[in-house]
Amino acid sequence: MPTTDLAARAEADGVRFLLALFVDLAGKPCAKLVPVEAAAELQHEGVGFAGYAVGAIGQVPSDPDLIAIPDLASYTPLPWVREGLALVHCDPHVEGEPWHFAPRVVLKKLIAEAAARDVALFAGAEVEYFLVRRDDTGRLVPADPKDDAARPCYDARGLTRMYEHLTGVSAAMNALGWGNYANDHEDANGQFEQNFAYADALTTADRVITARYLISVLAEQRGMTATFMPKPFADRTGSGMHLHLSLWRDGDALFPEVGDPRGFGLSPLAYRFLAGILDHAPGLQAVLAPTVNSYKRTGATSTRSGATWSPRRATYGGNDRTHFVRIPDQHRIELRGGDGSANPYLAMAAVLAAGLDGIDRDLDPGSPGTGADAVPRPELPPTLLHAADALAADKVVSAALDAAGPGVAEYFTSLKRGEFFDWHGTVGSWEHDRYLTAF
């Protein structure tokens, strides 16, 4: 069935309703439920939203409607959620033009800028989350009451007890062609990760949003809550969103190179891209770790397992998970600064801009690690307020947010500062409902 006809494809798949979905700057999934009988109208005319009611997307009550225009390449049947349901990611428009505050529009603009340099960003994303419930006293606890080991990571028994949920998510991912290749019990009690194959940056960002939705709804069907909150428990490891990044040109990988004198098998282009990310790390953190709670994770000094897995300085190294940027092999670099509250569209847009700046300026990351000949690197911002200030001072990362139009970076930064002052002192309660349910 041709992908150019949304109605025909939906009808062929037995779809009765379509979720026309986009996210605001905070990553909140916003949608309208469109019957298949109106699929042609959705495809050609879009569906309207009162933008101010959406949330953080740069509108006031007097502004004209956001019109969500579907990207047919993102069409995704979701019979595991509800029989006859499908999802399609949309680009919000205002008065016929792509709305420059929409995160997906921002990322598409950065992808176009990379294409003008004859490179394309590919990315894989590690989606970590907790499965939780409320006990009889209202306290937040792991959904599995037997998940209480001091070192639960990779525990086969914990995986087995959550078999129905994990295999349900895995089967859905594979049916959609995502290539789920592993499902892990992570380092904290109640924490899991489900991995899928890398793809171009836009496809991966769409899949992160879809995966969060899918995981959340399937967890609810089994009486649990899935939360991507960075640090729901003070004494346990937090949830990251690590990004595995590489550049390509016409189907050829640009990162691997034989004879790398540093020994990691990377090309000079890869090191320049990496250096740009390190150079802009403080400003990037406001986008990669965008909530007050994020800094409960990066500021942690210990956990029950003995490790936080959260970098505190913008260093790089080989197969070493203590660094901000890890080099697992010659094909990719892993950016470990992001967490479960990050908006994947904005995260990839900002990282792509930082990396391209490193290429344009011919930056060198210096020696790996923190040795005597390594380039001195500042500590990452200790709070969201520090991160917002670093973003405001970083012209490259700010310009990435403004890539599709002006005012986004200033608006985003003001939101982050406002969240810090509104919630600082209260999110010390690790169970704060705003951060439990927002993502």
Side-chain angles (χ1 to χ4, degrees):
M1 187 64 61
T3 59
T4 55
D5 189 333
L6 181 59
R9 184 165 184 184
E11 290 173 0
D13 290 336
V15 168
R16 300 196 303 274
F17 287 91
L18 294 146
L19 275 175
L21 184 144
F22 61 93
V23 301
D24 73 350
L25 289 168
K28 170 192 169 186
C30 306
K32 281 194 174 181
L33 195 61
V34 178
V36 69
E37 291 83 356
E41 182 179 350
L42 170 63
Q43 176 177 345
H44 298 293
E45 299 179 25
V47 61
F49 293 76
Y52 181 72
V54 161
I57 202 157
Q59 284 208 320
V60 297
S62 58
D63 281 332
D65 280 359
L66 293 177
I67 306 299
I69 304 295
D71 181 344
L72 271 59
S74 72
Y75 167 83
T76 307
L78 294 172
W80 313 275
V81 174
R82 294 288 190 276
E83 184 179 351
L85 179 67
L87 177 154
V88 62
H89 290 279
C90 298
D91 293 323
H93 287 58
V94 174
E95 297 182 331
E97 296 296 328
W99 183 234
H100 59 284
F101 282 84
R104 199 172 189 270
V105 172
V106 173
L107 176 56
K108 289 173 75 172
K109 182 64 175 178
L110 264 295
I111 289 171
E113 291 185 6
R117 292 170 166 84
D118 202 22
V119 295
L121 177 67
F122 277 63
E126 298 182 28
V127 178
E128 296 178 347
Y129 63 96
F130 282 82
L131 292 171
V132 298
R133 62 180 176 86
R134 298 281 182 180
D135 67 12
D136 293 338
T137 68
R139 187 169 57 99
L140 188 71
V141 296
D144 175 5
K146 294 183 178 180
D147 192 348
D148 57 3
R151 301 291 294 272
C153 199
Y154 306 125
D155 191 315
R157 297 161 297 179
L159 284 172
T160 305
R161 288 192 296 271
M162 286 296 173
Y163 182 85
E164 286 76 15
H165 170 79
L166 296 172
T167 57
V169 173
S170 173
M173 288 180 174
N174 282 329
L176 293 170
W178 294 8
N180 169 246
Y181 59 87
N183 306 278
D184 307 337
H185 192 304
E186 275 295 320
D187 193 58
N189 305 102
Q191 188 184 37
F192 297 88
E193 178 183 313
Q194 300 190 258
N195 302 117
F196 48 89
Y198 73 95
D200 66 273
L202 183 64
T203 296
T204 292
D206 284 344
R207 287 176 178 175
V208 169
I209 296 300
T210 304
R212 288 175 178 172
Y213 170 77
L214 182 65
I215 290 166
S216 296
V217 175
L218 293 186
E220 288 173 1
Q221 291 177 1
R222 294 179 171 87
M224 305 179 292
T225 295
T227 177
F228 305 93
M229 179 182 182
K231 188 77 169 176
F233 298 100
D235 61 343
R236 300 173 197 174
T237 306
S239 289
M241 188 183 74
H242 304 151
L243 297 175
H244 294 256
L245 307 167
S246 59
L247 294 179
W248 293 68
R249 178 181 297 131
D250 298 328
D252 295 325
L254 301 179
F255 273 16
E257 183 162 305
V258 176
D260 172 14
R262 291 183 173 100
F264 297 124
L266 294 182
S267 65
L269 179 76
Y271 282 114
R272 287 154 57 200
F273 186 83
L274 188 162
I277 291 173
L278 296 178
D279 195 56
H280 293 285
L284 284 172
Q285 280 304 99
V287 182
L288 297 173
T291 63
V292 173
N293 184 259
S294 298
Y295 299 87
K296 306 296 184 180
R297 172 179 173 267
T298 57
T301 56
S302 64
T303 66
R304 291 179 63 180
S305 73
T308 68
W309 308 107
S310 303
R312 303 186 73 172
R313 189 178 292 275
T315 59
Y316 85 99
N319 198 358
D320 177 348
R321 288 176 171 83
T322 64
H323 291 293
F324 185 70
V325 177
R326 166 181 170 248
I327 305 174
D329 55 47
Q330 72 272 28
H331 299 290
R332 60 198 159 121
I333 60 174
E334 179 191 18
L335 176 58
R336 297 181 58 81
D339 65 39
S341 66
N343 184 318
Y345 301 108
L346 296 182
M348 291 189 204
V351 168
L352 180 53
L356 291 176
D357 183 60
I359 293 172
D360 291 345
R361 292 164 56 204
D362 198 23
L363 295 182
D364 189 297
S367 298
T370 56
D373 57 348
V375 174
R377 300 289 179 187
E379 288 196 0
L380 297 174
T383 71
L384 181 60
L385 181 60
H386 289 85
D389 288 344
L391 171 60
D394 191 315
K395 294 182 179 179
V396 169
V397 180
S398 293
L401 299 186
D402 286 337
V408 181
E410 182 179 1
Y411 178 77
F412 183 84
T413 303
S414 69
L415 289 174
K416 300 301 106 181
R417 287 175 172 150
E419 287 172 14
F420 177 84
F421 288 113
D422 287 347
W423 296 101
H424 185 62
T426 61
V427 293
S429 167
W430 307 101
E431 304 172 23
H432 201 291
D433 286 343
R434 172 181 171 91
Y435 289 98
L436 175 62
T437 60
F439 308 102

